[in-house]
Amino acid sequence: MECRPLDIVIESAKDLKDVNLFSKMDVYALVNIDGDYYIKSSTQKTPTDKDCGTSPKWNFPVKFTIDDAAANQNRLTLVIKLKSDRSLGDREIGEVRVPIKELLDGFGDAKETKHATYSVRTPSGKTKGTLDISYKFGEKFTAPEIKSKQAEPVMAYPAGYAAGSSGAAAYPPPGAYPQPTYAHPQAAPGYAGYPPGGYPQYPQYPPPGGYPPQPAYGYGGYAAPVQQPHKPKKNGGGGMALGLGAGLLGGLLVGDMISDVASYDAGYDAGFDDGFDF
């Protein structure tokens, strides 16, 4: 495989779209080669030009090695993305895409560095500002062809499968797996002692001889209450004696109170008549 070294200098840009609202932009560039690329192209970053606004300057060199055949077949593209460095997340300003074939045709058989200016396209698709670069191709050289190996799909086969053999030979013969059991009597005749062809026979109602006699019900469908016989209270004699004693005691107390009231009234009348004179 024939290859070429490609040296590029990202020089400067001007009249870029301002994506900041208050402060001046801090701008940097990301550079890589996109396309059918046999030798891996890593993305390279320029330093950040602080407070440059819409006219950053870098003069930053980057180097690539390209496949000469892929470049001449227009399968490689130089991609330069311009971004604003911000604390709340970087924001894209625009990008430049240049076919490597275009650079080859412009370089020709020259030995000196070539200069080129390209328009910057914003994310919305409009052109705003320009980017200046310089580039130079080196002499061809032969390098071993390095292609990226595509990942092959991974397929899982049962144990005993051999590549190229038939699929049927890889599976166990019929009867090797356990037979399923069924919980439904109709699905599995004779299951759990049931007779084949259906569910077990249940007893018929009403049973022979009729239902057993039910208790009688009163008004409203409720059973009539059953009265329980009263049991004699214990210690009946003692209660009667206690009642008689309490009556006698109460009578004596009432008699004493009446006597005391009578005596008081007599004394009061006597004292009133003797001691007071109105």
Side-chain angles (χ1 to χ4, degrees):
M1 179 179 70
E2 289 188 339
C3 298
R4 282 177 179 264
L6 172 59
D7 298 334
I8 302 175
V9 177
I10 309 299
E11 296 179 351
S12 61
K14 60 181 179 180
D15 299 330
L16 298 177
K17 179 181 178 180
D18 193 348
V19 297
N20 286 14
L21 294 178
F22 304 106
S23 60
K24 282 188 176 183
M25 294 191 299
D26 302 332
V27 184
Y28 65 90
L30 298 175
V31 189
N32 74 302
I33 293 180
D34 190 15
D36 186 8
Y37 201 52
Y38 290 95
I39 300 178
K40 184 178 179 181
S41 168
S42 59
T43 300
Q44 303 184 46
K45 179 182 176 182
T46 68
T48 301
D49 190 0
K50 298 288 187 178
D51 296 327
C52 62
T54 60
S55 300
K57 295 180 180 179
W58 304 284
N59 292 317
F60 184 74
V62 294
K63 295 180 178 292
F64 298 100
T65 300
I66 63 169
D67 178 4
D68 189 67
N72 282 286
Q73 294 170 11
N74 201 20
R75 303 198 323 252
L76 303 178
T77 303
L78 173 66
V79 181
I80 305 173
K81 293 184 178 182
L82 306 180
K83 290 193 173 185
S84 174
D85 187 1
R86 307 195 310 178
S87 58
L88 296 179
D90 298 353
R91 188 169 180 180
E92 187 173 351
I93 302 171
E95 71 174 12
V96 173
R97 301 181 70 91
V98 183
I100 299 297
K101 187 177 186 310
E102 180 178 329
L103 297 178
L104 274 174
D105 294 342
F107 188 77
D109 295 331
K111 302 296 183 182
E112 301 296 330
T113 301
K114 291 284 187 177
H115 179 81
T117 301
Y118 296 97
S119 298
V120 178
R121 188 174 298 273
T122 64
S124 63
K126 298 179 180 180
T127 56
K128 177 64 176 176
T130 57
L131 175 69
D132 294 330
I133 67 170
S134 58
Y135 66 98
K136 178 182 179 181
F137 286 97
E139 298 292 334
K140 295 181 184 181
F141 66 94
T142 303
E145 185 172 344
I146 304 175
K147 294 185 179 181
S148 60
K149 185 177 181 180
Q150 296 182 353
E152 298 179 356
V154 178
M155 300 180 64
Y157 298 98
Y161 179 84
S165 63
S166 62
Y171 293 92
Y177 291 107
Q179 298 298 322
T181 58
Y182 301 92
H184 199 284
Q186 291 182 348
Y191 177 81
Y194 294 144
Y199 293 98
Q201 299 296 326
Y202 294 96
Q204 298 181 355
Y205 291 95
Y211 293 101
Q214 302 294 326
Y217 291 92
Y219 176 75
Y222 296 97
V226 179
Q227 296 183 357
Q228 301 293 334
H230 295 285
K231 296 181 179 180
K233 297 182 178 179
K234 297 180 179 180
N235 301 326
M240 185 178 295
L242 180 62
L244 292 175
L248 293 175
L249 180 61
L252 293 175
L253 292 175
V254 171
D256 292 341
M257 291 175 63
I258 293 174
S259 177
D260 291 342
V261 170
S263 299
Y264 176 79
D265 289 341
Y268 179 78
D269 291 340
F272 183 79
D273 291 340
D274 295 339
F276 295 95
D277 186 13
F278 293 97

